[in-house]
């Protein structure tokens, strides 16, 4: 089964009620934009007959519809994913694995449609756009909320609920390796590893907080980096304070305490 068919089946499957509350990548619509772009097709035909090399690096018609729409969809998906994990623990109980699958399927859809864009245009603009998604903090499989969901399932590993046991088996953590990691095994043989090292003290994150750029730090280390007292908290930092890793400005104001990860670290 091709991915487009599998994605359509996913959207109209058992989780359709859940998906009604969240946006998703309009994969087939975006694919149609690429397939029906006459300018792209003309350029591609010209490239095939021109030995001097391909000139179809981009297409204004595609780009206008394609990248703006994909960024809007990716932002909506990332917002829905993070808000449901952040604001509703009951949602994690009832929808945790559905949220993970939601992030995964849409991330695969984005990856495949960008790969198709580059194939059609003979460019690397799609690959560059993935970097832009990371910079805008909407790269789904790099979200700190996946770490929080993983910690939630590992914390619930002792539950008698069969579903929890089944889903938690997809997560593991090893604090005795360097660096300490949380591993998530996903469908389609996708393996994600999250480094749980604080980039400042180079130890396992203690009392972990995620800045809005997605990077994790010990609370004390992040406060020290932003020149604020521990009792004041990260949100007391100056708007000009930068992430110690990516140097992005203004990332402290929406810093979030990773409660499930904190609990997991204390228990382990």
């Amino acid at each position: 089964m091709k991915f487009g068919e599998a994605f359509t089946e996913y959207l109209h499957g058992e989780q359709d009620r859940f998906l009604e509350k969240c946006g998703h990548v309009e994969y087939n619509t975006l694919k149609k934009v690429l397939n029906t772009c006459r300018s792209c097709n003309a350029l591609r035909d010209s490239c095939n007959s021109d030995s001097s090399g391909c000139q179809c690096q981009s297409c204004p018609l595609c780009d206008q519809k394609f990248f703006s729409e994909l960024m809007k969809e990716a932002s909506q998906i990332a917002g829905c994913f993070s808000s449901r994990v952040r604001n509703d623990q009951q949602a994690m109980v009832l929808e945790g694995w559905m949220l993970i699958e939601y992030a995964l399927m849409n991330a695969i859809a984005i990856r495949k449609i960008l790969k198709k864009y580059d194939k059609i245009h003979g460019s690397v603009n799609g690959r560059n756009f993935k970097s832009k998604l990371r910079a805008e903090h909407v790269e789904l499989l790099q979200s700190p909320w996946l770490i929080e969901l993983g910690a939630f399932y590992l914390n619930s590993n002792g539950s008698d609920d069969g579903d929890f046991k089944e889903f938690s088996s997809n997560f593991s953590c090893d604090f005795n390796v360097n660096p300490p990691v949380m591993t998530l095994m996903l469908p389609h043989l996708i393996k994600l590893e999250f480094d749980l090292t604080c980039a400042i003290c180079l130890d396992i994150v203690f009392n972990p907080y995620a800045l809005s750029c997605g990077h994790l730090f010990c609370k004390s280390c992040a406060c020290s980096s932003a020149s604020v007292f521990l009792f004041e908290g990260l949100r007391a930092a100056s708007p000009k304070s930068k992430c110690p890793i990516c140097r992005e400005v203004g990332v402290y104001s929406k810093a979030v305490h990773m409660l499930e990860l904190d609990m997991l670290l204390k228990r382990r």
Side-chain angles (χ1 to χ4, degrees):
M1 182 185 296
K2 293 183 177 181
F3 177 76
E5 296 171 348
F7 192 61
T8 300
E9 187 176 282
Y10 164 73
L11 294 176
H12 297 94
E14 297 177 358
Q15 301 179 14
D16 59 341
R17 220 176 256 185
F18 162 76
L19 293 169
E20 285 177 1
K21 308 170 188 175
C22 302
H24 62 269
V25 175
E26 294 290 347
Y27 180 81
N28 290 325
T29 301
L30 291 170
K31 186 177 177 181
K32 188 178 292 186
V33 169
L34 296 180
N35 287 337
T36 59
C37 177
R38 292 180 180 177
S39 299
C40 291
N41 290 333
L43 281 170
R44 188 166 65 253
D45 292 341
S46 173
C47 287
N48 290 336
S49 61
D50 184 0
S51 60
S52 63
C54 180
Q55 303 297 318
C56 52
Q57 292 296 305
S58 65
C59 167
L61 179 59
C62 269
D63 293 356
Q64 182 181 5
K65 295 180 180 179
F66 186 84
F67 288 120
S68 59
E69 181 62 25
L70 191 55
M71 177 59 78
K72 183 179 76 172
E73 291 170 3
S75 299
Q76 290 174 345
I77 294 161
C80 176
F81 179 71
S82 64
S83 66
R84 295 188 76 80
V85 178
R86 184 187 317 189
N87 297 327
D88 190 351
Q89 189 174 36
Q90 187 64 22
M92 287 205 289
V93 175
L94 298 175
E95 302 174 350
W97 190 252
M98 284 192 286
L99 284 165
I100 291 170
E101 190 175 17
Y102 170 70
L104 172 65
M105 291 299 288
N106 281 284
I108 294 175
I110 291 171
R111 185 183 68 189
K112 284 187 173 292
I113 201 69
L114 289 174
K115 187 175 181 180
K116 185 173 182 66
Y117 177 96
D118 280 348
K119 183 178 179 181
I120 284 177
H121 295 87
S123 76
V124 294
N125 292 344
R127 190 192 310 168
N128 293 339
F129 187 75
K130 285 196 287 187
S131 300
K132 185 177 181 181
L133 291 177
R134 293 191 191 98
E136 296 289 335
H137 317 310
V138 291
E139 219 295 328
L140 295 170
L141 298 186
Q142 299 298 318
S143 170
W145 300 111
L146 273 177
I147 300 177
E148 190 73 342
L149 271 171
F152 170 74
Y153 275 108
L154 288 169
N155 287 332
S156 306
N157 198 21
S159 170
D160 292 331
D161 189 310
D163 288 340
F164 272 115
K165 288 182 178 179
E166 178 186 353
F167 295 143
S168 62
S169 66
N170 293 282
F171 297 90
S172 63
C173 57
D174 190 344
F175 300 145
N176 297 316
V177 297
N178 188 19
V181 293
M182 176 186 292
T183 302
L184 170 57
M185 296 301 301
L186 295 171
H188 307 284
L189 300 177
I190 293 176
K191 178 182 179 180
L192 300 178
E193 288 189 340
F194 300 99
D195 188 345
L196 301 180
T197 303
C198 172
I200 298 175
C201 68
L202 303 181
D203 204 346
I204 298 176
V205 285
F206 176 75
N207 200 0
Y209 273 73
L211 304 185
S212 62
C213 57
H215 291 118
L216 298 180
F217 300 96
C218 307
K219 181 181 180 181
S220 58
C221 292
C223 284
S224 176
S225 177
S227 301
V228 296
F229 291 110
L230 191 62
F231 70 85
E232 292 179 304
L234 274 63
R235 297 191 180 189
S238 164
K240 296 182 180 179
S241 296
K242 299 178 181 179
C243 170
I245 294 179
C246 65
R247 310 305 294 166
E248 183 174 345
V249 175
V251 292
Y252 279 80
S253 62
K254 295 182 180 179
V256 177
H257 188 192
M258 305 291 283
L259 294 170
E260 292 291 338
L261 179 59
D262 192 18
M263 187 186 306
L264 176 68
L265 293 168
K266 288 174 179 175
R267 289 178 58 189
R268 297 296 177 100

